[in-house]
């Protein structure tokens, strides 16, 4: 019986039958006429088909896949060779971005391509935000000259002796992650590990809190953790739980267990603080180690908590089961409470829950049909989780076969495929770029039908009013990140087509002729208006994932690398120290 919602695969001839055929053709002796060979093949095939029908597991045993998962086309052979022309177009885009930055603002943390200026995160000077975030992309793209200049800057100019408050999470994912990936990909150039070790050591004081949860900010020169007064001293869940891949790999490389222990303690605190269904509010109190009453969402301040549950499990070669359990629980919670469908289009999206205090003082949860662009990382992540945490076999086929996945794996795969479709649907704008935030229609939402489309819309966007913040595209990578993973796991060329469409929209609307790329203020306005900023994740993530989408699939295989949340690839390893908690 075919499972509902799954397509029947075209029958492939079993490998053994093919073997017999070629064997028969090689030596067709007169004592064994061709007609008998043909007859035997027909009988074997008929028997095989019959057995497949009556006893599906036999097909698994024979190694003949029976059914494809939805989202996977059946009439093509996956090709994993590079699309050289498109790959080189992405390299050209990277050079256009990097050379402009290098000319106007080399060494500064951030770049403003319209005014041709750079700026730093604090008045104390820069910490290599853009340079370090970009180095591994240069190595991956084979940009030797650019890489050598960036490496020289790191060796000679990069300093963490900065008396200013830097965001713990951002510094970790961009700078520490960038240094660690550069160390690995450069063939272990010691300059990168020395800098990574120095930076990691300077960040360590943030963990000196009552709970072990980190403080949001670090004064790198004073080596002092600083609470974020803007957030009442609370830390975002994503910020606390998205430093682990980096500190764990640093511990592995340096043999200094402290780095590991601090990162792992955070995860133990989060597990103990558990909210129902594995879901997590977006703020934590570093004093008590408890969640604050705050929204539950897969967008800003929540996203990479879920991403790193899976990636910690993958980083140590699927040996730390605690992360798999936490991940599986969370994915079920997401399906039970956050996965929703748009009113008319039935587009699948991930909603948010906002806490509301009733008169009796109880907390209730109100559903908001809002999806940040950031949530689009989840499509690819779910597909990756389905083929690892949700797999029944060690090496899942490309594309996966139904019998290779657990029920949860099948569910997550389907949701991942659909979520990528939804994220692509949010690119249906005047520019072909997706907005920062999309709202989905709900029954009785009171939205004026003459203003908002029937499926999704940008809240507050009106022809006669200034564009809302939600209407921006700031060069974010999440959709192409998911598309890259989906391509690697399916080989379906449709994903290359989708990625190319996004790349072309970026080229058309974000590229500044004099150099660099800028964010656009309204994805539904042509010609666009720019915001004078080129986010560092354009070069570290968006262009890297696009490059990898069009590269030969042997480049950074997903079973050998985990990408940190800033797209810095870190190798999978087996830990040499005791790890894990329960
Ligand atoms: C990046 O810095 C990281 O991917 C982070 O986890 C979320 N946001 C940006 C890119 O959008």
């Amino acid at each position: 019986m075919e499972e509902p919602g799954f397509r029947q695969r075209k029958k492939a001839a079993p490998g053994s039958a093919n073997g017999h055929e070629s064997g028969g053709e090689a030596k067709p002796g007169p004592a064994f006429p061709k007609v008998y060979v043909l007859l035997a093949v027909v009988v074997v095939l008929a028997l095989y088909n019959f057995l497949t029908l009556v006893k599906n597991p036999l097909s698994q045993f024979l190694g003949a896949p029976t059914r494809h998962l939805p989202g996977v086309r059946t009439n093509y052979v996956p090709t994993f060779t590079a699309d050289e022309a498109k790959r080189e177009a992405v390299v050209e885009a990277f050079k256009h971005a990097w050379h402009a930055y290098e000319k106007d603002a080399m060494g500064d943390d951030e770049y403003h391509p319209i005014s041709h200026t750079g700026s730093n995160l604090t008045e104390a000077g820069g910490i290599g935000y853009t340079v370090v975030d970009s180095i591994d992309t240069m190595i991956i793209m084979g940009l030797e000259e650019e890489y050598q200049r960036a490496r020289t800057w790191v060796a000679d100019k990069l300093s963490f002796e900065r008396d200013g408050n830097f965001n713990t999470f951002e510094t970790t994912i961009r700078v520490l992650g960038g240094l660690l990936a550069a160390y690995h990909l450069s063939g272990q150039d010691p300059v990168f590990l020395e800098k990574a070790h120095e930076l990691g050591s300077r960040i360590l004081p943030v963990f000196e809190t009552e709970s072990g949860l980190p403080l949001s900010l670090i004064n790198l020169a004073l080596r002092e953790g600083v609470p974020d007064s803007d957030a009442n001293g609370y830390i975002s869940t994503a910020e606390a739980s998205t430093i682990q891949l980096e500190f764990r790999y640093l511990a592995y490389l340096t043999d200094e267990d402290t780095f590991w222990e601090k990162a792992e303690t955070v995860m133990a605190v989060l597990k103990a603080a558990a909210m129902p269904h594995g879901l997590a509010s977006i703020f934590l109190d570093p004093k008590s180690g408890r969640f604050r009453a705050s929204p539950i969402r897969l967008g800003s301040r929540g996203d990479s908590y879920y991403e790193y549950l899976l990636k910690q499990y993958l980083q140590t070669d699927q040996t730390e089961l605690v992360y798999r359990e936490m991940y599986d629980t969370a994915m079920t919670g997401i399906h039970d409470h956050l996965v929703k469908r748009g009113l008319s289009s039935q587009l699948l999206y991930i909603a948010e829950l906002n806490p509301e205090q009733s008169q009796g003082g109880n907390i209730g949860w109100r559903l908001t049909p809002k999806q940040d662009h950031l949530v689009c990382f989840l499509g690819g992540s779910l597909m990756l989780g389905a083929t690892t945490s949700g797999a029944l076999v060690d090496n899942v086929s490309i594309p996966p076969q139904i019998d290779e996945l657990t029920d949860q794996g099948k569910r997550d795969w389907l949701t991942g495929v659909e979520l990528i479709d939804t994220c692509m649907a949010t690119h249906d704008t005047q520019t072909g770029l997706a907005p920062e935030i999309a709202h989905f229609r709900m029954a009785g939402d009171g939205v004026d039908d003459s203003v908002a489309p029937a499926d999704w819309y940008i809240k507050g966007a009106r022809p006669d009013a200034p564009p809302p913040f939600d209407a921006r595209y700031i060069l974010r990578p999440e959709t192409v990140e998911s598309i890259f993973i989906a391509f690697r796991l399916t080989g379906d060329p449709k994903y290359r087509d989708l990625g190319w469409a996004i790349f072309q929209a970026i080229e058309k609307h974000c590229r500044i002729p004099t150099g660099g790329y800028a964010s656009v203020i309204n994805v539904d306005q042509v010609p666009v208006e720019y915001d004078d900023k080129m986010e560092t994740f354009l070069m570290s993530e968006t262009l890297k994932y696009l490059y990898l989408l069009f590269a030969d699939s042997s480049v950074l295989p997903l079973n050998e690398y985990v990408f940190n949340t800033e797209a810095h690839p870190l190798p999978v390893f087996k830990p040499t120290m005791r790890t894990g908690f329960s």
Side-chain angles (χ1 to χ4, degrees), residues 169-170 173-174 303-304 374 476-478 537 541 565-566:
F169 153 81
E170 299 287 5
I173 65 167
R174 299 186 203 214
D303 49 0
S304 43
L374 291 165
R476 284 202 190 277
E478 284 74 16
F537 45 70
E541 294 197 71
T565 194
E566 190 73 5

Side-chain angles (χ1 to χ4, degrees), residues 347-350 371-380 416-429 432-435 438 440 456 478-480 482-483 498 502:
L347 286 174
L348 180 149
Y349 69 95
I350 312 295
Q371 182 174 284
D372 292 357
H373 191 145
L374 291 165
V375 178
C376 291
F377 88 89
L378 187 67
V417 168
E418 277 203 72
L419 187 57
I420 293 176
D421 289 344
T422 301
C423 290
M424 281 314 299
T426 63
H427 287 73
D428 183 15
T429 60
L433 300 166
F440 292 81
W456 69 273
E478 284 74 16
T479 304
V480 290
S482 281
I483 284 172
L498 297 177
I502 294 176

Side-chain angles (χ1 to χ4, degrees), residues 93-170:
F94 180 90
K95 285 173 156 178
H96 185 75
W98 172 260
H99 290 158
Y101 163 77
E102 200 178 17
K103 178 165 73 63
D104 295 338
M106 182 62 183
D108 287 348
D109 286 331
E110 300 192 303
Y111 180 46
H112 310 283
I114 311 287
S115 56
H116 301 279
T117 57
S119 62
N120 287 319
L121 296 166
T122 74
E123 288 177 2
I127 55 166
Y129 234 46
T130 296
V131 179
V132 177
D133 219 9
S134 308
I135 287 185
D136 61 4
T137 310
M138 296 172 192
I139 300 175
I140 293 164
M141 291 182 174
L143 296 173
E144 180 62 19
E145 288 173 15
E146 287 80 0
Y147 164 68
Q148 286 302 341
R149 294 197 296 272
R151 185 209 172 273
T152 301
W153 185 89
V154 168
D156 298 347
K157 303 265 178 59
L158 177 59
S159 169
F160 299 124
E161 190 59 29
R162 304 290 189 213
D163 187 359
N165 295 338
F166 296 86
N167 182 285
T168 304
F169 153 81
E170 299 287 5

